[in-house]
Amino acid sequence: MNSLISLLILVFTFFSFNPFSLASKSTYNDQCASIIPETYGTTKLKFNSFPLSDKNTGYYVGGDSIINVDTTWNQFSLYFPPRNTHATSHPHLFKVEGTISFRTTYDDHRGYLTFKLDGFWSQSSGNVCMIGKSKGVSKKGDSLNLEAVFKLNNVFNSSNVTSLVSGSLESLSSEKGDDDRYFEPISLMMFPKANYSYSLDTKEVENDFFFDSDDDEESLSLNFDSLSFCSYPLSSAITTLQLEYTHECSSSKNCTPIVSGSSDQLPSHMSLKGIECSSHIKKHRVRVLVEFSNSVDYYWNKNNQSLNTKTMLIGEGWWDEKKNMLYVVLCHFIGGRKSSSLNETHVGDCSIRLRLRFPSIWSINKTSSIVGQIWSNKSASEPNYFKMITFWNDHNYRIGGKDLKYEYSKLDRVKQSCLTDKVVAIQGKRYPDAYSYDMKLHMSIRESKKRVAWGSSSPLFVDDDSYESDLSTLSSGFDYGILNNNNGSLFNISYRIRLYMMSSPPFEKNSLFNMSYSSVKISAEGIYDSRNGTLCMVGCRNLDSNHGTPTSHSLDCEILMKFQFPPLDTIDRSYIKGSIESTRHKSDPLYFKSLEVSARSYNIRVARRNAWRMDIEVIMTLISTTLACVFVGLQLYHVKKHPNVLPFISIFMMSILTLGHMIPLVLNFEALLAQNQKNKSYIIGYVEKWLEVNEISVRLITMVAFLLQFRLLYLTWSSRKTNESENHLWIAEKKASYVTFPLYAAGLLIALLLKLKNDRNSITSMYRQHVSSWENIKSYGGFILDGFLVPQVILNLFSNTKENALSNPFYFGTTFVRLLPHAYDLYRTRSYDDQDSNSYFYADPSEDFYSTSWDIFIPLLCIVLSIIIYLQQHFGAQYFLPRRFKGSKGYAKVPKSEGEVETTNM
């Protein structure tokens, strides 16, 4: 629904105004007459050969004051509908209409900007000049109504690798004007696609790609009838490539194809992006944009670094079906070195070569789905020469599927290290199958009894079968935890493991993480025994050097890894225990202290239990919300029968309860389903539709509860305004507020400190995302709702009343509704795995304080408050206080029937 509304708003934005009706023709003449004179003889004849017809994308710099640059990746979209291009009386001038949009990559529409443009294109000069007005929202959330002139150069009907479309978007408002509609010029750059001519794959150039290195290794053959470097999965596979330099490279001099800047730091990663792909009978061709960075995460880097053509290359590539390799010729971006303008940028110096292939045989030393080289065809004495750089893909993209093979080379060492004793199967115990999801591990790493890292691991191959491919062929109806268990099977298995540090250097002496930049990558292979659940492997870790930029042959294969899986039918939810040890001597520089591993696997049986748990939680939510409606309804009946008690109800308490029902409606229960949807999809499965259906029911019942609670708040407020004793009760309410607010503030501080301490010490916190201060405040809001009776207790003390302001079903029943989630959390903690904490639909830890201690303390507190209210309403508000603290009299109540004043004395 939200997406549909956003789309309707966007459509309205695009078509709700005509720029030439807002910007006069004289404005066009002032801005564009010197470039393209306006032609008044526009015809109705449509022209379908405009080079930028339909959708285009490009890059920009500038506009920081109006555009949320961090979320647009410095990219814009340009749309010229073919139906809006018309011929004119001049043979080479054409009238064009379109839109340019600076889109955000997130759902946040702040910093979103769109211009509707109208102007002319000169076919002979390649210039475009247009006038437009914007609709959008600034980074601060303010509406943007801007006027601008849009200019492009080099827009021709044919293009090649050296062709670049450049231009600008400039404000029509004066920088010194009184209004705030001025913005700094935005510089634009695009890669034309119309009638593109591939020109770099000559016979002479092809000879540059033939040399001895790796020619004897087998590569996968790709079917480009179904694959393309411009679409998934190939486009994702080439997004982040790890660079590897020779030992001689310690700085950027003669070691990198780009200008590194003042830092002289070598880039650690490279990204390839297919601009355009075309498949002919003989060749699959691709236009490639290459970007270099020092960030492990390409997308993070794009969000935190402005466009810099000095770190980019552009070129053409083609697939060699005989060698099963992609060959690419790359060119530099020259000129335009000023970060504020791209107008002078052009393409030249196409002396860089890149080749890329997909290995068909993996091993413990080579587990990359992509490997390749990038080099210069210049001599060492020429400018822009650099030494050959190798690269590989660090992610587990299985291009080729069942065609992939794995060669085991460390099994003899594994047998010597682990299989020394005769193994006897444990009768009556079942252990995970090697092909099951149980073999995927989420790990907590301890060094010297201190948790220092968390990690994840997944099998690559089991025997000769690709693990992921084998899983995809299994039916979801099977119990993956016990498939193929042959009571004595030994499985050869290979793993990819990654450990992520939880703190920054320095680390202890002989720590595994001392020679690592941000994480430790380990490839391992070994033997898994399904008779007793033991896994023993030899591992090879990548050694980072030069601050994260690796050099060749940086591997340490003297690592022994052991894991013990618990039986599948265990009832104590045991963790998988393991260790990571160095087999080197302590004096060896690469020796590291042993690491203790505590891991949890994710199996389908647990997933089904979690799906059943979520069914229960949705039902519990429906029951709790329905009960809340019933108890509020009983309170409304109580005050209707006894209207004189309304002024004695705490407005503070009613406000808390009303907000408790309103906030979930504002935040929208749908956001819970959208949150981490990819992580939940494999858990929810068949129950997803059930959850969506019940979402509507929950929201409707919550709306009813809110309306009933708001009605009760309104009646309480109105009674205070009309009752003769309003001054006394308002004074009592104010005094109660003076006590309640500091009490809540102190409670917030104490609760946050305790919760942060518990989260820091909890072993399961590695499975949860970082808990922000806002989430802690949300949790405290739930805690306040649990103690909703506190304001009423304090008001009763100051008003010294004995009135039955609250009906017994209301405060006892509402207390029961607030206690139910804590009782359920105690049951859930002992009955279900906690690794799927993103799928809580009831008793969500982000909405209250949930732990064993809190689940005991909060119910006791709520019960005590309910008992106090009961005693106050039956024996007087100050009944439980010592005599010296008791007041002498209470406030008056005026019965409407007689007007007589009735006083309650203590």
Side-chain angles (χ1 to χ4, degrees):
M1 181 61 71
N2 291 337
S3 300
L4 179 61
I5 294 174
S6 300
L7 180 60
L8 292 174
I9 294 174
L10 183 59
V11 171
F12 177 78
T13 298
F14 280 175
F15 301 107
S16 63
F17 60 93
N18 185 332
F20 263 34
S21 66
L22 300 172
S24 65
K25 293 182 178 180
S26 61
T27 304
Y28 179 89
N29 290 329
D30 292 341
Q31 301 295 327
C32 298
S34 60
I35 303 173
I36 308 176
E38 182 176 358
T39 301
Y40 295 98
T42 303
T43 69
K44 294 184 179 180
L45 179 64
K46 295 182 180 180
F47 184 76
N48 297 323
S49 298
F50 182 47
L52 301 179
S53 289
D54 212 358
K55 298 179 181 180
N56 305 268
T57 58
Y59 294 85
Y60 75 93
V61 294
D64 293 18
S65 61
I66 56 173
I67 305 171
N68 197 352
V69 180
D70 290 340
T71 60
T72 60
W73 294 0
N74 286 103
Q75 296 183 30
F76 67 88
S77 59
L78 191 62
Y79 180 48
F80 289 98
R83 65 179 181 275
N84 291 344
T85 302
H86 299 274
T88 68
S89 57
H90 193 288
H92 297 295
L93 293 183
F94 301 88
K95 187 175 185 298
V96 292
E97 298 177 8
T99 56
I100 182 172
S101 300
F102 301 89
R103 299 185 63 88
T104 177
T105 57
Y106 304 123
D107 293 334
D108 183 5
H109 292 285
R110 292 189 177 188
Y112 179 84
L113 185 63
T114 297
F115 283 86
K116 188 75 177 293
L117 305 168
D118 202 329
F120 293 88
W121 166 56
S122 171
Q123 187 179 25
S124 57
S125 68
N127 292 327
V128 173
C129 194
M130 309 177 76
I131 300 297
K133 188 170 182 178
S134 77
K135 291 288 184 180
V137 181
S138 70
K139 292 191 292 184
K140 297 180 180 179
D142 301 327
S143 177
L144 290 175
N145 296 291
L146 311 173
E147 294 181 354
V149 55
F150 174 74
K151 301 176 184 178
L152 291 179
N153 307 313
N154 303 321
V155 182
F156 295 104
N157 279 323
S158 61
S159 59
N160 56 34
V161 69
T162 62
S163 302
L164 283 181
V165 175
S166 60
S168 63
L169 186 69
E170 301 178 11
S171 175
L172 292 180
S173 299
S174 172
E175 183 176 2
K176 299 180 180 180
D178 296 333
D179 57 39
D180 58 354
R181 293 187 296 172
Y182 172 81
F183 60 91
E184 67 275 13
I186 300 174
S187 185
L188 312 171
M189 181 179 72
M190 298 174 60
F191 307 116
K193 298 181 180 180
N195 299 318
Y196 184 86
S197 175
Y198 289 88
S199 58
L200 297 180
D201 56 338
T202 64
K203 289 290 185 182
E204 181 181 356
V205 170
E206 286 187 359
N207 292 331
D208 293 341
F209 295 94
F210 302 147
F211 48 88
D212 295 335
S213 176
D214 297 334
D215 282 353
D216 58 336
E217 297 190 19
E218 297 182 20
S219 301
L220 290 173
S221 175
L222 301 183
N223 179 12
F224 286 101
D225 292 334
S226 58
L227 293 174
S228 170
F229 284 100
C230 295
S231 60
Y232 183 86
L234 290 183
S235 60
S236 297
I238 62 177
T239 296
T240 306
L241 301 172
Q242 172 80 45
L243 300 177
E244 182 181 275
Y245 299 88
T246 62
H247 286 297
E248 295 84 3
C249 287
S250 58
S251 66
S252 61
K253 184 178 181 181
N254 292 338
C255 286
T256 176
I258 64 170
V259 178
S260 297
S262 59
S263 66
D264 202 32
Q265 184 178 358
L266 291 169
S268 61
H269 289 78
M270 175 179 70
S271 169
L272 272 64
K273 177 183 179 182
I275 300 174
E276 184 180 29
C277 294
S278 62
S279 295
H280 298 284
I281 298 176
K282 294 183 178 180
K283 287 184 178 180
H284 176 79
R285 302 174 185 268
V286 57
R287 296 173 64 192
V288 177
L289 181 68
V290 178
E291 298 184 61
F292 295 85
S293 72
N294 289 312
S295 172
V296 175
D297 191 332
Y298 169 76
Y299 295 103
W300 183 93
N301 182 66
K302 291 295 293 180
N303 281 345
N304 292 272
Q305 178 175 304
S306 60
L307 179 69
N308 184 3
T309 56
K310 294 183 292 184
T311 63
M312 301 167 65
L313 302 171
I314 190 171
E316 298 174 1
W318 62 95
W319 183 258
D320 187 325
E321 292 186 350
K322 294 182 179 179
K323 297 288 186 179
N324 291 324
M325 291 187 181
L326 177 68
Y327 298 149
V328 182
V329 177
L330 294 170
C331 313
H332 288 277
F333 287 96
I334 302 174
R337 296 303 188 190
K338 295 182 179 179
S339 60
S340 60
S341 177
L342 299 171
N343 290 336
E344 298 180 1
T345 303
H346 63 280
V347 176
D349 187 10
C350 300
S351 60
I352 300 176
R353 307 290 183 261
L354 180 150
R355 74 174 197 174
L356 175 153
R357 67 185 185 88
F358 300 84
S360 60
I361 300 177
W362 292 9
S363 68
I364 192 171
N365 298 325
K366 299 176 181 179
T367 58
S368 301
S369 58
I370 294 177
V371 295
Q373 302 85 27
I374 181 171
W375 70 96
S376 172
N377 72 343
K378 293 185 176 183
S379 63
S381 60
E382 293 182 274
N384 293 332
Y385 164 81
F386 63 93
K387 298 179 179 67
M388 179 178 287
I389 305 169
T390 60
F391 60 83
W392 70 86
N393 187 315
D394 194 34
H395 295 281
N396 193 17
Y397 289 100
R398 310 284 181 93
I399 308 298
K402 289 184 176 294
D403 294 332
L404 288 173
K405 303 298 180 185
Y406 187 92
E407 291 185 348
Y408 296 92
S409 59
K410 307 291 184 182
L411 296 183
D412 290 339
R413 285 183 53 191
V414 172
K415 293 175 182 178
Q416 294 174 3
S417 302
C418 301
L419 303 182
T420 56
D421 300 324
K422 185 177 180 180
V423 178
V424 179
I426 302 176
Q427 297 297 325
K429 297 293 185 180
R430 298 181 305 168
Y431 291 90
D433 184 81
Y435 292 93
S436 69
Y437 280 106
D438 294 289
M439 305 308 289
K440 287 188 173 183
L441 306 180
H442 303 278
M443 302 181 293
S444 174
I445 311 299
R446 291 183 178 271
E447 183 180 69
S448 301
K449 304 299 182 181
K450 178 182 179 183
R451 193 154 71 93
V452 294
W454 63 276
S456 61
S457 63
S458 177
L460 296 176
F461 287 81
V462 179
D463 287 336
D464 295 326
D465 301 321
S466 175
Y467 175 76
E468 294 290 349
S469 298
D470 190 80
L471 282 181
S472 65
T473 62
L474 297 177
S475 168
S476 60
F478 293 151
D479 190 341
Y480 298 151
I482 57 175
L483 276 176
N484 301 324
N485 199 325
N486 299 325
N487 289 328
S489 297
L490 294 177
F491 297 90
N492 297 333
I493 192 167
S494 61
Y495 264 87
R496 185 194 299 270
I497 301 167
R498 195 154 196 166
L499 309 180
Y500 299 91
M501 307 173 197
M502 297 184 62
S503 59
S504 302
F507 298 99
E508 293 184 9
K509 184 181 178 181
N510 295 329
S511 172
L512 172 69
F513 305 102
N514 276 332
M515 298 187 66
S516 302
Y517 183 57
S518 60
S519 64
V520 177
K521 302 168 223 176
I522 301 176
S523 299
E525 66 179 47
I527 299 174
Y528 172 68
D529 191 338
S530 62
R531 294 170 297 181
N532 56 13
T534 59
L535 171 63
C536 182
M537 299 186 293
V538 168
C540 293
R541 61 165 169 157
N542 291 343
L543 299 175
D544 289 346
S545 59
N546 297 331
H547 302 286
T549 304
T551 55
S552 58
H553 309 296
S554 50
L555 288 175
D556 171 20
C557 293
E558 299 297 324
I559 299 175
L560 183 64
M561 312 177 72
K562 298 179 182 180
F563 296 92
Q564 176 62 59
F565 288 78
L568 286 174
D569 52 359
T570 182
I571 60 176
D572 59 357
R573 300 167 64 245
S574 300
Y575 283 91
I576 299 166
K577 301 297 182 181
S579 63
I580 302 176
E581 304 173 358
S582 175
T583 58
R584 297 178 181 272
H585 193 271
K586 290 186 177 181
S587 60
D588 193 304
L590 295 180
Y591 168 82
F592 60 86
K593 293 181 179 179
S594 297
L595 300 175
E596 297 178 12
V597 179
S598 179
R600 298 296 298 271
S601 64
Y602 190 89
N603 59 61
I604 297 302
R605 297 190 310 116
V606 174
R608 290 172 179 167
R609 284 172 55 82
N610 281 334
W612 172 248
R613 172 183 58 78
M614 284 187 282
D615 279 345
I616 295 175
E617 291 185 4
V618 171
I619 295 173
M620 294 283 288
T621 303
L622 289 170
I623 293 174
S624 296
T625 312
T626 303
L627 286 176
C629 291
V630 171
F631 296 139
V632 176
L634 291 174
Q635 177 65 19
L636 286 170
Y637 175 76
H638 175 72
V639 298
K640 181 179 181 181
K641 189 176 180 181
H642 307 284
N644 292 332
V645 303
L646 272 171
F648 296 91
I649 299 176
S650 170
I651 294 178
F652 200 155
M653 179 189 68
M654 289 293 106
S655 300
I656 289 174
L657 292 173
T658 304
L659 287 174
H661 293 299
M662 183 185 74
I663 291 176
L665 293 174
V666 174
L667 296 180
N668 195 340
F669 188 80
E670 181 181 346
L672 185 59
L673 287 177
Q675 180 185 9
N676 297 319
Q677 191 68 29
K678 291 182 179 179
N679 295 333
K680 294 181 186 179
S681 60
Y682 63 90
I683 304 167
I684 296 177
Y686 69 91
V687 301
E688 186 171 4
K689 293 297 182 182
W690 156 259
L691 293 172
E692 292 177 355
V693 170
N694 282 278
E695 170 203 350
I696 299 174
S697 301
V698 170
R699 293 174 66 183
L700 288 175
I701 297 175
T702 304
M703 174 65 76
V704 172
F706 164 71
L707 293 175
L708 292 174
Q709 193 68 60
F710 185 79
R711 173 64 177 170
L712 188 55
L713 173 62
Y714 172 76
L715 292 176
T716 303
W717 181 276
S718 299
S719 67
R720 287 276 186 92
K721 286 294 186 181
T722 57
N723 197 281
E724 294 181 5
S725 62
E726 62 173 279
N727 290 332
H728 301 289
L729 292 173
W730 278 121
I731 292 173
E733 186 84 47
K734 185 182 295 185
K735 290 180 179 180
S737 300
Y738 289 157
V739 175
T740 305
F741 275 116
L743 186 64
Y744 283 161
L748 175 62
L749 179 61
I750 296 172
L752 288 180
L753 291 175
L754 290 175
K755 183 171 174 60
L756 289 174
K757 180 180 178 181
N758 290 336
D759 288 342
R760 195 162 44 241
N761 294 334
S762 175
I763 191 170
T764 61
S765 62
M766 68 173 180
Y767 304 113
R768 299 179 181 175
Q769 297 176 350
H770 175 68
V771 180
S772 65
S773 298
W774 169 244
E775 288 173 331
N776 282 328
I777 293 175
K778 284 171 56 181
S779 298
Y780 186 67
F783 179 62
I784 290 177
L785 274 172
D786 291 336
F788 71 98
L789 288 174
V790 170
Q792 184 67 50
V793 170
I794 297 176
L795 176 65
N796 289 346
L797 290 175
F798 283 105
S799 61
N800 196 9
T801 180
K802 190 181 175 182
E803 297 299 329
N804 291 322
L806 305 180
S807 66
N808 291 341
F810 173 71
Y811 66 87
F812 278 121
T814 305
T815 297
F816 172 76
V817 170
R818 297 304 308 176
L819 299 188
L820 202 56
H822 294 279
Y824 171 75
D825 184 62
L826 285 172
Y827 161 76
R828 179 175 62 190
T829 302
R830 287 158 176 76
S831 303
Y832 294 96
D833 289 331
D834 55 1
Q835 56 186 314
D836 188 32
S837 59
N838 287 328
S839 62
Y840 290 146
F841 291 89
Y842 184 70
D844 190 341
S846 67
E847 297 177 359
D848 205 335
F849 292 146
Y850 292 102
S851 67
T852 302
S853 56
W854 283 114
D855 290 339
I856 295 174
F857 171 75
I858 291 177
L860 289 176
L861 176 64
C862 294
I863 293 173
V864 169
L865 290 173
S866 298
I867 293 174
I868 291 176
I869 291 291
Y870 177 83
L871 294 175
Q872 286 182 328
Q873 294 191 162
H874 285 75
F875 302 104
Q878 300 177 356
Y879 171 79
F880 57 91
L881 294 179
R883 183 175 298 275
R884 60 176 177 173
F885 293 109
K886 293 182 179 180
S888 58
K889 63 179 182 179
Y891 287 117
K893 177 189 75 174
V894 181
K896 290 186 177 180
S897 58
E898 300 178 4
E900 297 178 354
V901 176
E902 207 176 281
T903 303
T904 303
N905 294 307
M906 295 299 298

